[in-house]
Amino acid sequence: IPKKPFEAAKLLALSCKSGFPRACAYLGEVMNDGQFVQQKDPKFALELFTRACNEGDEVGCNDHGLAYLFGQGVARDTSIAAKSLLKACSGGWKDACSNLGVMMLGGNGLTKDDAKAAALFKMACDGNSSMGCGNLGYMLEIGAGVRQDVSRAVKQYELACNISPNSCESLAVMQQMGKGVSKNESSAVALYRKACNAQNLVACAFLRTYVDPSVKVDVDGAKNAVTVYQGSCTNGIIRDCTQVG
């Protein structure tokens, strides 16, 4: 059917009002994103995430945790973020397990524990989470919490990319560097474009800086990402220092 974002938002609002918590979570994501509404409203989005989570929806709890992690619509509070992400992960939302693992890499309110982070990433990847697969690939690439295995890391990055184009950036980096795979810069650029089209901030920033100045980068989204990456960069996560840069 034709794309009608405003009609979709109205339907989500009606469904949320009728007592379907997942619709409240999705409507909150719409209000946070700003693509489908005239003006972002992160405070209202947080209210929707809170309602969805309180009614037992795993997506709502994940979004609630991320809102507190990034400080969207509320003061940043990593303790509340961790609790909500744990609730979402325990409820079966695998992306939340990956998000919690990222917090465990250090610098974001939880004690650094590479082994537990890797276990959470594996749990997420086994549940078909592209973020989980990509993050597990990173742990394998550098040998954090698991035995270093660059070839396996590339396979994890490929799996992540196949699940979601947003996660193709890490595979692009490996192809660009020729690390664990044959060097192929043209293929790397194509993967960066694929990831950028799926709103991967770092991929878009790379393309804008080195390939195509016309590529747009979501500045607000970049600021939120830096908030998290800076903490783990400070705590020694090399990849996240690159992301900040």
Side-chain angles (χ1 to χ4, degrees):
I1 60 173
K3 187 175 181 179
K4 296 180 180 179
F6 290 102
E7 291 300 318
K10 289 178 182 177
L11 288 170
L12 286 172
L14 178 62
S15 187
C16 174
K17 188 177 180 181
S18 300
F20 186 55
R22 179 65 55 87
C24 300
Y26 287 156
L27 181 60
E29 292 177 4
V30 169
M31 300 306 298
N32 240 354
D33 188 275
Q35 290 189 76
F36 305 131
V37 290
Q38 292 179 334
Q39 187 173 354
K40 291 184 181 181
D41 193 339
K43 289 185 177 180
F44 180 47
L46 179 65
E47 291 177 15
L48 291 165
F49 297 150
T50 302
R51 175 178 172 180
C53 187
N54 288 342
E55 293 180 16
D57 182 73
E58 299 88 354
V59 174
C61 290
N62 179 69
D63 291 337
H64 184 265
L66 292 178
Y68 272 92
L69 181 60
F70 291 129
Q72 294 177 320
V74 68
R76 190 166 185 258
D77 190 321
T78 53
S79 177
I80 294 176
K83 289 177 182 177
S84 293
L85 291 174
L86 178 60
K87 186 175 179 180
C89 176
S90 300
W93 192 250
K94 299 305 181 182
D95 281 350
C97 302
S98 180
N99 291 329
L100 190 61
V102 170
M103 291 189 71
M104 282 190 173
L105 289 183
N108 286 303
L110 292 178
T111 302
K112 181 176 171 63
D113 192 323
D114 290 347
K116 284 185 179 179
L120 283 166
F121 295 149
K122 186 178 187 307
M123 183 190 302
C125 185
D126 289 344
N128 211 38
S129 164
S130 62
M131 291 189 295
C133 295
N135 284 326
L136 179 58
Y138 170 71
M139 303 300 272
L140 287 164
E141 182 185 347
I142 68 168
V146 291
R147 184 176 61 84
Q148 187 177 24
D149 190 330
V150 178
S151 295
R152 276 188 64 201
V154 171
K155 290 180 181 178
Q156 288 296 136
Y157 292 147
E158 289 175 342
L159 182 58
C161 182
N162 289 335
I163 295 172
S164 171
N166 181 274
S167 298
C168 291
E169 175 228 338
S170 295
L171 181 59
V173 171
M174 301 298 270
Q175 290 190 357
Q176 182 185 4
M177 297 172 62
K179 187 174 181 180
V181 65
S182 298
K183 187 172 183 177
N184 190 330
E185 293 185 349
S186 61
S187 177
V189 170
L191 286 169
Y192 280 123
R193 288 197 183 279
K194 186 176 180 179
C196 178
N197 289 337
Q199 300 182 335
N200 181 301
L201 289 166
V202 176
C204 291
F206 173 84
L207 288 172
R208 180 180 176 85
T209 305
Y210 298 107
V211 180
D212 184 357
S214 69
V215 171
K216 294 182 179 179
V217 177
D218 178 0
V219 177
D220 288 337
K223 288 179 181 177
N224 289 334
V226 167
T227 299
V228 173
Y229 289 140
Q230 186 66 63
S232 45
C233 169
T234 302
N235 213 34
I237 307 302
I238 299 170
R239 175 194 64 173
D240 292 354
C241 295
T242 304
Q243 307 290 60
V244 173

